[in-house]
PDB file of all heavy atoms in Angstrom:
ATOM      1  N   GLY B 148      -3.276 -50.981 -14.509  1.00 92.00           N
ATOM      2  CA  GLY B 148      -3.713 -49.777 -15.219  1.00 92.00           C
ATOM      3  C   GLY B 148      -5.206 -49.536 -15.087  1.00 92.00           C
ATOM      4  O   GLY B 148      -5.713 -48.528 -15.566  1.00 92.00           O
ATOM      5  N   GLY B 149      -5.923 -50.498 -14.474  1.00 90.00           N
ATOM      6  CA  GLY B 149      -7.337 -50.278 -14.205  1.00 90.00           C
ATOM      7  C   GLY B 149      -8.302 -50.993 -15.135  1.00 90.00           C
ATOM      8  O   GLY B 149      -9.510 -50.761 -15.058  1.00 90.00           O
ATOM      9  N   LEU B 150      -7.799 -51.870 -16.024  1.00 90.00           N
ATOM     10  CA  LEU B 150      -8.727 -52.640 -16.862  1.00 90.00           C
ATOM     11  C   LEU B 150      -9.313 -53.772 -16.027  1.00 90.00           C
ATOM     12  O   LEU B 150      -8.570 -54.561 -15.444  1.00 90.00           O
ATOM     13  CB  LEU B 150      -7.991 -53.246 -18.063  1.00 90.00           C
ATOM     14  CG  LEU B 150      -7.672 -52.353 -19.252  1.00 90.00           C
ATOM     15  CD1 LEU B 150      -6.935 -53.163 -20.309  1.00 90.00           C
ATOM     16  CD2 LEU B 150      -8.930 -51.756 -19.848  1.00 90.00           C
ATOM     17  N   ARG B 151     -10.621 -53.867 -15.976  1.00 89.00           N
ATOM     18  CA  ARG B 151     -11.269 -54.907 -15.173  1.00 89.00           C
ATOM     19  C   ARG B 151     -11.207 -56.243 -15.904  1.00 89.00           C
ATOM     20  O   ARG B 151     -11.550 -56.329 -17.079  1.00 89.00           O
ATOM     21  CB  ARG B 151     -12.747 -54.566 -14.911  1.00 89.00           C
ATOM     22  CG  ARG B 151     -12.980 -53.233 -14.231  1.00 89.00           C
ATOM     23  CD  ARG B 151     -12.447 -53.187 -12.825  1.00 89.00           C
ATOM     24  NE  ARG B 151     -13.015 -54.218 -11.969  1.00 89.00           N
ATOM     25  CZ  ARG B 151     -12.681 -54.366 -10.690  1.00 89.00           C
ATOM     26  NH1 ARG B 151     -11.787 -53.571 -10.137  1.00 89.00           N
ATOM     27  NH2 ARG B 151     -13.227 -55.308  -9.961  1.00 89.00           N
ATOM     28  N   ILE B 152     -10.781 -57.278 -15.192  1.00 87.00           N
ATOM     29  CA  ILE B 152     -10.746 -58.630 -15.759  1.00 87.00           C
ATOM     30  C   ILE B 152     -11.753 -59.523 -15.037  1.00 87.00           C
ATOM     31  O   ILE B 152     -12.411 -60.351 -15.649  1.00 87.00           O
ATOM     32  CB  ILE B 152      -9.324 -59.222 -15.666  1.00 87.00           C
ATOM     33  CG1 ILE B 152      -8.364 -58.397 -16.543  1.00 87.00           C
ATOM     34  CG2 ILE B 152      -9.308 -60.677 -16.108  1.00 87.00           C
ATOM     35  CD1 ILE B 152      -6.925 -58.826 -16.438  1.00 87.00           C
ATOM     36  N   ASN B 153     -11.886 -59.319 -13.736  1.00 84.00           N
ATOM     37  CA  ASN B 153     -12.862 -60.048 -12.927  1.00 84.00           C
ATOM     38  C   ASN B 153     -12.723 -61.564 -13.041  1.00 84.00           C
ATOM     39  O   ASN B 153     -13.719 -62.286 -13.120  1.00 84.00           O
ATOM     40  CB  ASN B 153     -14.294 -59.633 -13.303  1.00 84.00           C
ATOM     41  CG  ASN B 153     -14.602 -58.225 -12.859  1.00 84.00           C
ATOM     42  OD1 ASN B 153     -13.978 -57.715 -11.925  1.00 84.00           O
ATOM     43  ND2 ASN B 153     -15.526 -57.568 -13.539  1.00 84.00           N
ATOM     44  N   GLY B 154     -11.511 -62.021 -13.139  1.00 83.00           N
ATOM     45  CA  GLY B 154     -11.278 -63.462 -13.176  1.00 83.00           C
ATOM     46  C   GLY B 154     -11.662 -64.115 -14.490  1.00 83.00           C
ATOM     47  O   GLY B 154     -11.629 -65.336 -14.613  1.00 83.00           O
ATOM     48  N   GLY B 155     -12.026 -63.326 -15.472  1.00 85.00           N
ATOM     49  CA  GLY B 155     -12.430 -63.882 -16.765  1.00 85.00           C
ATOM     50  C   GLY B 155     -11.275 -63.943 -17.744  1.00 85.00           C
ATOM     51  O   GLY B 155     -10.100 -63.903 -17.353  1.00 85.00           O
ATOM     52  N   SER B 156     -11.613 -64.048 -19.002  1.00 88.00           N
ATOM     53  CA  SER B 156     -10.573 -64.097 -20.027  1.00 88.00           C
ATOM     54  C   SER B 156     -10.978 -63.215 -21.205  1.00 88.00           C
ATOM     55  O   SER B 156     -11.243 -63.707 -22.299  1.00 88.00           O
ATOM     56  CB  SER B 156     -10.339 -65.534 -20.480  1.00 88.00           C
ATOM     57  OG  SER B 156     -11.578 -66.145 -20.787  1.00 88.00           O
ATOM     58  N   PRO B 157     -11.084 -61.897 -20.948  1.00 90.00           N
ATOM     59  CA  PRO B 157     -11.474 -61.007 -22.035  1.00 90.00           C
ATOM     60  C   PRO B 157     -10.471 -61.061 -23.168  1.00 90.00           C
ATOM     61  O   PRO B 157      -9.272 -61.160 -22.941  1.00 90.00           O
ATOM     62  CB  PRO B 157     -11.491 -59.621 -21.371  1.00 90.00           C
ATOM     63  CG  PRO B 157     -10.621 -59.755 -20.173  1.00 90.00           C
ATOM     64  CD  PRO B 157     -10.773 -61.163 -19.720  1.00 90.00           C
ATOM     65  N   ARG B 158     -11.007 -61.013 -24.377  1.00 90.00           N
ATOM     66  CA  ARG B 158     -10.118 -61.084 -25.540  1.00 90.00           C
ATOM     67  C   ARG B 158      -9.714 -59.670 -25.921  1.00 90.00           C
ATOM     68  O   ARG B 158     -10.521 -58.909 -26.460  1.00 90.00           O
ATOM     69  CB  ARG B 158     -10.843 -61.759 -26.708  1.00 90.00           C
ATOM     70  CG  ARG B 158     -11.261 -63.175 -26.359  1.00 90.00           C
ATOM     71  CD  ARG B 158     -11.593 -63.962 -27.573  1.00 90.00           C
ATOM     72  NE  ARG B 158     -12.568 -63.309 -28.419  1.00 90.00           N
ATOM     73  CZ  ARG B 158     -12.811 -63.669 -29.667  1.00 90.00           C
ATOM     74  NH1 ARG B 158     -12.137 -64.637 -30.214  1.00 90.00           N
ATOM     75  NH2 ARG B 158     -13.728 -63.053 -30.361  1.00 90.00           N
ATOM     76  N   TRP B 159      -8.508 -59.302 -25.586  1.00 92.00           N
ATOM     77  CA  TRP B 159      -8.007 -58.004 -26.012  1.00 92.00           C
ATOM     78  C   TRP B 159      -6.489 -58.054 -26.090  1.00 92.00           C
ATOM     79  O   TRP B 159      -5.851 -58.927 -25.506  1.00 92.00           O
ATOM     80  CB  TRP B 159      -8.516 -56.876 -25.104  1.00 92.00           C
ATOM     81  CG  TRP B 159      -8.219 -56.983 -23.638  1.00 92.00           C
ATOM     82  CD1 TRP B 159      -7.061 -57.402 -23.056  1.00 92.00           C
ATOM     83  CD2 TRP B 159      -9.096 -56.644 -22.544  1.00 92.00           C
ATOM     84  NE1 TRP B 159      -7.159 -57.331 -21.698  1.00 92.00           N
ATOM     85  CE2 TRP B 159      -8.374 -56.878 -21.349  1.00 92.00           C
ATOM     86  CE3 TRP B 159     -10.382 -56.134 -22.470  1.00 92.00           C
ATOM     87  CZ2 TRP B 159      -8.936 -56.632 -20.094  1.00 92.00           C
ATOM     88  CZ3 TRP B 159     -10.928 -55.905 -21.220  1.00 92.00           C
ATOM     89  CH2 TRP B 159     -10.204 -56.155 -20.049  1.00 92.00           C
ATOM     90  N   TYR B 160      -5.945 -57.122 -26.864  1.00 95.00           N
ATOM     91  CA  TYR B 160      -4.498 -57.052 -27.029  1.00 95.00           C
ATOM     92  C   TYR B 160      -3.945 -56.049 -26.022  1.00 95.00           C
ATOM     93  O   TYR B 160      -4.119 -54.839 -26.184  1.00 95.00           O
ATOM     94  CB  TYR B 160      -4.131 -56.641 -28.458  1.00 95.00           C
ATOM     95  CG  TYR B 160      -4.545 -57.670 -29.486  1.00 95.00           C
ATOM     96  CD1 TYR B 160      -5.375 -57.346 -30.547  1.00 95.00           C
ATOM     97  CD2 TYR B 160      -4.098 -58.984 -29.391  1.00 95.00           C
ATOM     98  CE1 TYR B 160      -5.748 -58.290 -31.486  1.00 95.00           C
ATOM     99  CE2 TYR B 160      -4.464 -59.937 -30.324  1.00 95.00           C
ATOM    100  CZ  TYR B 160      -5.283 -59.582 -31.377  1.00 95.00           C
ATOM    101  OH  TYR B 160      -5.649 -60.525 -32.301  1.00 95.00           O
ATOM    102  N   GLN B 161      -3.315 -56.568 -24.993  1.00 96.00           N
ATOM    103  CA  GLN B 161      -2.856 -55.748 -23.882  1.00 96.00           C
ATOM    104  C   GLN B 161      -1.531 -56.304 -23.391  1.00 96.00           C
ATOM    105  O   GLN B 161      -1.294 -57.516 -23.497  1.00 96.00           O
ATOM    106  CB  GLN B 161      -3.945 -55.823 -22.799  1.00 96.00           C
ATOM    107  CG  GLN B 161      -3.729 -54.961 -21.596  1.00 96.00           C
ATOM    108  CD  GLN B 161      -3.227 -55.762 -20.426  1.00 96.00           C
ATOM    109  OE1 GLN B 161      -2.177 -55.450 -19.884  1.00 96.00           O
ATOM    110  NE2 GLN B 161      -3.935 -56.795 -20.040  1.00 96.00           N
ATOM    111  N   VAL B 162      -0.658 -55.434 -22.896  1.00 96.00           N
ATOM    112  CA  VAL B 162       0.643 -55.895 -22.403  1.00 96.00           C
ATOM    113  C   VAL B 162       0.963 -55.284 -21.044  1.00 96.00           C
ATOM    114  O   VAL B 162       0.499 -54.193 -20.704  1.00 96.00           O
ATOM    115  CB  VAL B 162       1.794 -55.541 -23.381  1.00 96.00           C
ATOM    116  CG1 VAL B 162       1.787 -56.461 -24.584  1.00 96.00           C
ATOM    117  CG2 VAL B 162       1.756 -54.085 -23.802  1.00 96.00           C
TER     118      VAL B 162
END
Side-chain angles (χ1 to χ4, degrees):
Chain B
L150 281 180
R151 303 294 302 180
I152 295 175
N153 290 336
S156 49
R158 299 197 307 165
W159 57 41
Y160 295 123
Q161 185 258 123
V162 284

